[in-house]
Amino acid sequence: MTAASIAGSGVRPHRPVDDARPAGNDQVMDLNGLPDVEFGDTEQDLTRRGLLQAGVEACGLTLAGHAAASPVFVDDRLVLLWVDDSFRTPEGITVGTPVAEVQARYRTTHRLVAPQGTHRFDGLLAASGDRAYLFLHDGGTVRKVIVGYADWARRLFDEGHGPC
């Protein structure tokens, strides 16, 4: 079920990730979601509200007005958002942020180590209650950001499914 739900979701990078912090991180996502989209919303409700659309550059559904955020649904409920470098957390963390800064802003991060021999990134899981940010990194900087329910973020990391 996870593979089917997560494998078809995700944002395809619009440009290569640079080691410098990106300039276009003007959209804020938090542990509730986005201003008009919250975790737990159904596909049907988001479609009815005109917020769910087929992505042109993404490998799955995208959110209207938030094309750089790819929703991940499980049992028709939004459980994760996979975002690109145009998004930042309220604390200012985005793709390109140094790992040391993530650890300074989120004092209770859990280090997640990718299995040896894979092409996966290590992670930092910053949880608060049942929600979390999952920051995938190369040891120096954040390369991918996922936000949503903590259990699903951890499961995505453990099972190693990419966004496409």
Side-chain angles (χ1 to χ4, degrees):
M1 174 171 48
T2 302
S5 299
I6 293 173
S9 302
V11 175
R12 185 174 296 157
H14 297 287
R15 63 183 183 272
V17 176
D18 186 5
D19 286 333
R21 293 197 54 173
N25 53 0
D26 56 352
Q27 299 184 77
V28 178
M29 50 57 191
D30 63 24
L31 293 175
N32 293 315
L34 301 169
D36 50 352
V37 177
E38 292 189 9
F39 297 109
D41 285 350
T42 66
E43 287 183 64
Q44 180 180 7
D45 181 51
L46 292 172
T47 300
R48 181 185 54 75
R49 293 172 29 210
L51 295 173
L52 201 56
Q53 61 189 19
V56 176
E57 290 188 33
C59 53
L61 298 172
T62 60
L63 299 168
H66 306 288
S70 182
V72 177
F73 293 93
V74 175
D75 296 332
D76 190 45
R77 296 275 179 192
L78 179 65
V79 298
L80 296 170
L81 288 171
W82 190 291
V83 300
D84 77 2
D85 63 2
S86 66
F87 284 88
R88 64 177 172 79
T89 70
E91 296 78 15
I93 305 301
T94 186
V95 171
T97 300
V99 169
E101 188 175 333
V102 173
Q103 293 171 313
R105 299 273 172 96
Y106 300 97
R107 300 271 181 211
T108 57
T109 59
H110 300 281
R111 296 177 79 81
L112 305 174
V113 179
Q116 291 263 340
T118 65
H119 296 285
R120 293 169 43 194
F121 292 119
D122 288 341
L124 291 172
L125 188 71
S128 178
D130 69 342
R131 310 289 171 91
Y133 296 108
L134 174 58
F135 303 104
L136 301 179
H137 64 87
D138 62 8
T141 59
V142 173
R143 296 299 183 175
K144 307 273 183 201
V145 179
I146 298 107
V147 60
Y149 291 110
D151 289 346
W152 285 107
R154 180 61 193 245
R155 190 169 180 178
L156 179 137
F157 182 86
D158 289 344
E159 294 180 6
H161 298 288
C164 295

